[in-house]
Amino acid sequence: EYDGERNSEGERHGRGKARLPNGDTYDGEYEHGFRSGQGTYRFRNGACYTGEYLQNEKHGQGIFFYPDGSKYEGDWVNDQRHGYGKYTYANGDTYTGEWFNNNRHGQGTYVYKDTGSKYVGGWVNGNQEGEAELIHLNHRFKGKFLNGNPVGHGKYIFDIGCEQHGEYIQSEQDKGGEEEEEEPSLLVAPKWRASEITKLTLWTPHGENPPSPREASLPSLHEVSSEVFRPAGDAGEEDEESREEEENKDQEDEGEE
């Protein structure tokens, strides 16, 4: 099961290869019987980790390839994604930024492959939250987010040379005179209410004022509330990957002598 160096006490120490009873394999460095240093651990389910270990735990820099084709490359602490790293999801989306206890947490950028849009800003426990910018092909939104949705005051910045200011409000305020009992709209995205349109303030070439865009040329600004804000659609995948990691961790523990 183990082929490699040992110290005077007979402990695995130095470079070695091990095949665990569950079918996993490890090829790398040991210290006093523990996987410590650089190594590659291959799981029987197809997952693979290449990077630094400390006392049998992923710790330091490393790359984890998941069975579904996704991968994480970055910092690890005590077997968890923690620090700074890039996660490439199975659908091609990517997140690059800060991590805390396996969750996206801090400042980071999420890029949606199917649309090319990207979210740049704050994250809390895996969710889009805090000051951020959501950048689309020909416009962007700058404001605050909570649980993956925009909230409160913000502004849309259009490439044609104008900004639309307004705020996102909860749809409960739009009930009107309806008497029917409505279900709690916790899952209903906030609606955009525009307040004013201004020229871009930064575009002043040669001291001239920017041309004033005609209302007719504005891209349906009153319909901007139809813009789709979807939170990172990988939460379920990440939960599943976390479970896989837990299973993999159990396999590592069971298989180690």
Side-chain angles (χ1 to χ4, degrees):
E1 276 197 35
Y2 176 74
D3 179 19
E5 302 172 350
R6 295 181 183 269
N7 59 16
S8 57
E9 285 80 27
E11 299 171 322
R12 300 178 185 182
H13 195 85
R15 282 207 65 87
K17 296 180 180 180
R19 175 174 293 276
L20 286 69
N22 62 8
D24 295 349
T25 62
Y26 174 76
D27 183 354
E29 298 175 327
Y30 284 87
E31 287 185 9
H32 300 290
F34 293 101
R35 294 187 296 274
S36 288
Q38 289 288 333
T40 297
Y41 193 105
R42 298 182 185 278
F43 299 86
R44 59 180 176 179
N45 64 3
C48 177
Y49 171 78
T50 299
E52 295 177 283
Y53 273 95
L54 180 64
Q55 293 189 333
N56 282 353
E57 293 186 332
K58 296 181 283 290
H59 194 94
Q61 286 284 318
I63 306 176
F64 199 113
F65 297 90
Y66 297 91
D68 66 354
S70 59
K71 74 172 181 178
Y72 170 80
E73 180 176 7
D75 296 330
W76 296 82
V77 175
N78 298 330
D79 252 356
Q80 294 186 317
R81 300 185 294 270
H82 191 101
Y84 189 89
K86 178 179 180 179
Y87 201 119
T88 303
Y89 296 90
N91 64 359
D93 292 356
T94 61
Y95 170 81
T96 305
E98 297 175 300
W99 295 79
F100 185 85
N101 291 342
N102 268 346
N103 286 320
R104 300 178 296 251
H105 190 93
Q107 292 294 310
T109 299
Y110 192 101
V111 179
Y112 299 91
K113 184 185 179 184
D114 57 349
T115 62
S117 299
K118 61 181 178 180
Y119 171 96
V120 182
W123 296 78
V124 176
N125 294 326
N127 294 318
Q128 297 169 345
E129 187 167 323
E131 294 284 346
E133 210 166 355
L134 189 59
I135 303 170
H136 299 287
L137 184 62
N138 57 3
H139 70 283
R140 52 201 167 102
F141 171 78
K142 192 171 185 178
K144 290 184 180 181
F145 285 74
L146 180 65
N147 292 327
N149 286 314
V151 294
H153 292 278
K155 65 179 179 179
Y156 281 89
I157 304 168
F158 294 88
D159 290 355
I160 60 174
C162 67
E163 297 179 353
Q164 185 186 49
H165 301 258
E167 66 176 318
Y168 273 92
I169 58 175
Q170 292 298 326
S171 58
E172 287 95 336
Q173 298 182 19
D174 299 329
K175 289 181 180 179
E178 296 181 10
E179 296 180 0
E180 295 182 7
E181 290 288 333
E182 293 190 3
E183 292 293 325
S185 54
L186 296 177
L187 300 179
V188 178
K191 291 185 178 181
W192 174 251
R193 175 176 290 173
S195 58
E196 64 172 335
I197 297 175
T198 64
K199 299 175 182 178
L200 283 176
T201 54
L202 300 178
W203 194 64
T204 54
H206 309 299
E208 299 177 0
N209 291 325
S212 177
R214 294 191 304 273
E215 285 294 326
S217 68
L218 299 181
S220 302
L221 292 178
H222 64 284
E223 297 178 355
V224 75
S225 62
S226 63
E227 182 64 46
V228 176
F229 286 92
R230 63 184 180 91
D234 54 88
E237 297 173 14
E238 185 161 305
D239 291 341
E240 183 176 337
E241 287 151 7
S242 296
R243 288 196 297 273
E244 288 176 356
E245 285 186 16
E246 289 298 325
E247 293 172 3
N248 292 338
K249 179 66 166 59
D250 293 340
Q251 293 171 9
E252 287 182 75
D253 292 340
E254 292 172 5
E256 192 63 39
E257 290 184 354

